[in-house]
Amino acid sequence: SVVIDDQGLAKHVDEIGALIKNNMLNNVQAVRAMAVGDMDEPITPHSGTSDDDDDDEDAGLELSHESKVIDLSLAKKLRKEFPYRFRSYSKWDLLFSTELHGSSVGTFFNRTGWRSPTLLLVMDETRAVFGAFCSAPWEMHYSYFGTGECFVWKAEEDRLQIYRWGMQNDMFQLAHKKDGIAVGGGKSHAIWFDAAFENGVSGPCETFNSPALSGNGNEQPWRVLHMEAWGLSF
């Protein structure tokens, strides 16, 4: 360790250290603000509910295939929650579907690996609907990857519950060929799928300050009814 005998210099070092720490926090908060498209409101980790009616900005949204998980109305509401720079993308491309492409994480990587962002749509065995917006391409990594633009969500009747980055950790996306894929981390993943996309787990997640998203409401495994990955394009 370094010992500073000059009390005046030591005071300045402490002040500079505090300033650097404050600037780093401000930078993290600014990144989160840009992700949600709002640079004016105070930034506090929170979840939000979206139940806005359709408006003109939703015009022209086109899905390349019919989704087994959500309808067009819910898709429009989801688009409003995207990071600002992605809200003008007018087409969603179905990259992977357990209904069409089988249940293999290898196929998932092959079909989605170069695309970002991606939107994961999930329906579990109780017919609960939830998912995630994922900022980075799905490629195998030894550790977590992605950015604070990621968020998870759950549909409750005709409303969306949105859970954004809570700045507690940076465990956004995880991908292993043998262990499957996950969104969020800490004590539990917000969403985890096994490598066959047959079973999943969702628990309280520190990354997004989110509760269990699945229909069983706890960290017990559930069967995947439908899982889809969508890419965005103009």
Side-chain angles (χ1 to χ4, degrees), residues 19-40:
L19 182 60
I20 292 174
K21 183 177 180 180
N22 185 61
N23 286 340
M24 291 177 65
L25 178 59
N26 288 339
N27 288 339
V28 170
Q29 291 177 328
V31 169
R32 187 177 187 278
M34 287 187 289
V36 301
D38 189 350
M39 291 296 291
D40 297 320

Side-chain angles (χ1 to χ4, degrees), residues 102-114:
S103 300
S104 165
V105 73
T107 303
F108 173 84
F109 288 143
N110 289 337
R111 295 188 60 85
T112 66
W114 63 275

Side-chain angles (χ1 to χ4, degrees), residues 22 41 51 64 67 113 115 134 150 169 208:
N22 185 61
E41 295 297 322
D51 57 358
S64 64
S67 173
R115 293 289 294 269
C134 304
C150 296
N169 61 44
F208 306 106

Side-chain angles (χ1 to χ4, degrees), residues 11-223:
K11 180 181 178 181
H12 287 303
V13 169
D14 290 340
E15 290 175 349
I16 292 172
L19 182 60
I20 292 174
K21 183 177 180 180
N22 185 61
N23 286 340
M24 291 177 65
L25 178 59
N26 288 339
N27 288 339
V28 170
Q29 291 177 328
V31 169
R32 187 177 187 278
M34 287 187 289
V36 301
D38 189 350
M39 291 296 291
D40 297 320
E41 295 297 322
I43 305 166
T44 54
H46 71 287
S47 62
T49 302
S50 174
D51 57 358
D52 293 336
D53 295 332
D54 297 342
D55 56 27
D56 291 340
E57 80 174 279
D58 296 317
L61 180 59
E62 177 185 351
L63 276 61
S64 64
H65 294 70
E66 181 180 359
S67 173
K68 297 292 185 180
V69 181
I70 65 173
D71 59 19
L72 186 59
S73 175
L74 190 57
K76 291 177 178 181
K77 291 179 180 179
L78 263 175
R79 185 169 72 165
K80 291 182 180 179
E81 303 300 332
F82 289 175
Y84 186 78
R85 62 195 180 107
F86 296 117
R87 293 179 193 173
S88 62
Y89 283 51
S90 60
K91 185 177 180 180
W92 291 9
D93 305 313
L94 183 60
L95 306 178
F96 175 84
S97 164
T98 52
E99 182 82 12
L100 298 176
H101 307 116
S103 300
S104 165
V105 73
T107 303
F108 173 84
F109 288 143
N110 289 337
R111 295 188 60 85
T112 66
W114 63 275
R115 293 289 294 269
S116 67
T118 54
L119 184 67
L120 303 186
L121 309 182
V122 188
M123 180 181 288
D124 70 12
E125 60 188 334
T126 71
R127 306 195 75 82
V129 171
F130 51 97
F133 180 94
C134 304
S135 63
W138 283 104
E139 299 172 329
M140 286 183 286
H141 289 258
Y142 291 106
S143 60
Y144 284 93
F145 58 99
T147 71
E149 290 184 316
C150 296
F151 66 85
V152 295
W153 58 273
K154 181 175 183 178
E156 297 178 336
E157 297 180 353
D158 62 342
R159 307 177 71 185
L160 283 175
Q161 191 70 30
I162 307 296
Y163 300 95
R164 303 192 188 277
W165 179 34
M167 295 186 284
Q168 300 300 311
N169 61 44
D170 57 359
M171 300 176 180
F172 301 113
Q173 297 173 237
L174 194 62
H176 294 290
K177 192 168 186 178
K178 292 183 178 180
D179 299 328
I181 67 170
V183 180
K187 295 181 180 179
S188 304
H189 299 300
I191 306 173
W192 171 83
F193 299 101
D194 65 20
F197 291 112
E198 293 177 349
N199 301 290
V201 173
S202 177
C205 179
E206 295 173 4
T207 307
F208 306 106
N209 291 328
S210 56
L213 303 173
S214 55
N216 60 21
N218 55 48
E219 298 179 63
Q220 295 302 310
W222 34 266
R223 185 170 61 86

